[in-house]
Amino acid sequence: MKTKYILSWILCFAIVSTVSCSGNDPAFPTVTENPSTDPGTNPGTDPGTDTTDATVPAGSALYFRLGMKWESAAETAAFTNLNRAESGDCIVTSVTPDITCSFAIPEGQLYHSILQFRMGSKAAASCPILKFSPYYYRKSAASPVTDDAGTPADETAPGYNPAGGDAELSCADGKEPLCYGGAAPHMVEGFPKNTGHYFLPQVTPETSYTLNSENKLRSYYGAGVNYLVTNDLPTLDRAANANAPADIATSRERVGNTFNDYYIWCETFWAEPVFSIKVMISDENVDPDGGLDQYPDWPGVNN
């Protein structure tokens, strides 16, 4: 059985142009042979070449780079790679197959910057399938209650109305993108039906995906917050619900146990995960001269 499966993959790799051998994984739609140079087919993908990062040692199973540039920069301007806040590099080896990479970015710069999530493998045989799932969470699970025909306007549970919005949404079935927060709704086409991307390192060793700034997207209706990017909600708070008062900047609204971090991982042809990177992003509130929390992220009061 395994021999037949491997032969089918070899035949698939021999086919030119578009990769159509992605299997039936509804959370990770089919991508093109070279996603890093075809943003039209994979809208979350950043244009560029498919050459691998020269700073990554040969034979590295999996690596990740977080880049950023100001939203006002030219479209052709290069991204600047960020150094890790923790010691070591964001590279997976057989000695450390599962790692966490943490980044902290000045809060004002983060709010006004485009981010690049770049990843790849220099050991394609050890990483046949490379997957990326951006961070997201559910803001609400509410659903409208239909009015009683005999008693008009008796709707007692009005659905979800995002702060600053004017729509009453039904979030109970989990299908409405506006019922979610975080990066994935803006990085994955067809979210929440699809929750991530994947590519084949034997075909494309490296690719990248971009996320526009919150200042441009206004996904939190103009509130000065960094929830779009930051996923630093403390573990103890992730199981708890948070209500949504009128001020979204202080509400940190969410449904308990729905928080999903940024993950990059490798799978074998038999869908066995073998290497992984969890990415944690926070914002820095204080510069060397002091300062306040001007663009809230997750830690703090009202969690």
Side-chain angles (χ1 to χ4, degrees), residues 119-272:
M119 61 206 69
S121 173
K122 290 194 175 183
S126 300
C127 185
I129 306 170
L130 198 158
K131 292 189 173 184
F132 170 49
S133 180
Y135 128 81
Y136 67 94
Y137 63 96
R138 287 184 72 172
K139 292 181 177 180
S140 174
S143 58
V145 175
T146 304
D147 287 340
D148 185 340
T151 311
D154 68 341
E155 190 175 62
T156 57
Y160 177 56
N161 188 359
D166 56 5
E168 186 177 284
L169 305 174
S170 177
C171 298
D173 60 7
K175 296 180 180 180
E176 171 54 60
L178 292 176
C179 298
Y180 292 82
H186 304 279
M187 297 184 72
V188 181
E189 184 179 12
F191 182 90
K193 181 179 181 180
N194 300 320
T195 58
H197 301 280
Y198 84 91
F199 63 96
L200 311 177
Q202 294 187 43
V203 179
T204 303
E206 176 186 291
T207 195
S208 59
Y209 307 93
T210 57
L211 174 63
N212 214 333
S213 69
E214 171 60 23
N215 188 50
K216 285 284 186 72
L217 292 174
R218 298 297 170 116
S219 61
Y220 288 85
Y221 299 91
V225 298
N226 277 325
Y227 306 146
L228 170 72
V229 178
T230 57
N231 62 315
D232 55 341
L233 180 66
T235 301
L236 292 177
D237 295 311
R238 295 188 175 205
N241 293 327
N243 294 324
D247 183 5
I248 192 173
T250 62
S251 71
R252 296 174 172 83
E253 59 179 340
R254 65 183 184 277
V255 177
N257 295 313
T258 64
F259 218 81
N260 297 269
D261 293 306
Y262 298 98
Y263 267 100
I264 301 126
W265 73 99
C266 296
E267 289 184 359
T268 68
F269 291 139
W270 294 272
E272 295 293 337

Side-chain angles (χ1 to χ4, degrees), residues 103-111 224-227 230 232 252 281-301:
F103 301 87
I105 304 169
E107 57 180 346
Q109 185 178 13
L110 180 60
Y111 186 78
V225 298
N226 277 325
Y227 306 146
T230 57
D232 55 341
R252 296 174 172 83
I281 302 177
S282 60
D283 70 20
E284 292 178 344
N285 301 323
V286 181
D287 62 28
D289 298 322
L292 301 174
D293 189 359
Q294 305 290 353
Y295 293 92
D297 58 345
W298 290 103
V301 297

Side-chain angles (χ1 to χ4, degrees), residues 13-123:
F13 286 137
I15 300 174
V16 296
S17 189
T18 302
V19 172
S20 58
C21 47
S22 60
N24 297 316
D25 188 345
F28 291 83
T30 302
V31 298
T32 58
E33 177 179 334
N34 188 1
S36 64
T37 59
D38 191 355
T41 305
N42 196 354
T45 305
D46 191 43
T49 65
D50 60 352
T51 56
T52 55
D53 193 310
T55 66
V56 177
S60 298
L62 180 64
Y63 63 89
F64 172 72
R65 295 287 185 261
L66 180 65
M68 65 186 306
K69 64 181 177 181
W70 293 102
E71 61 189 10
S72 58
E75 186 175 346
T76 55
F79 286 88
T80 300
N81 286 340
L82 299 177
N83 293 323
R84 285 190 57 195
E86 299 176 352
S87 61
D89 201 355
C90 203
I91 299 174
V92 169
T93 67
S94 58
V95 178
T96 56
D98 304 290
I99 65 174
T100 297
C101 295
S102 299
F103 301 87
I105 304 169
E107 57 180 346
Q109 185 178 13
L110 180 60
Y111 186 78
H112 294 282
S113 291
I114 303 169
L115 295 187
Q116 180 195 58
F117 296 77
R118 183 160 55 91
M119 61 206 69
S121 173
K122 290 194 175 183

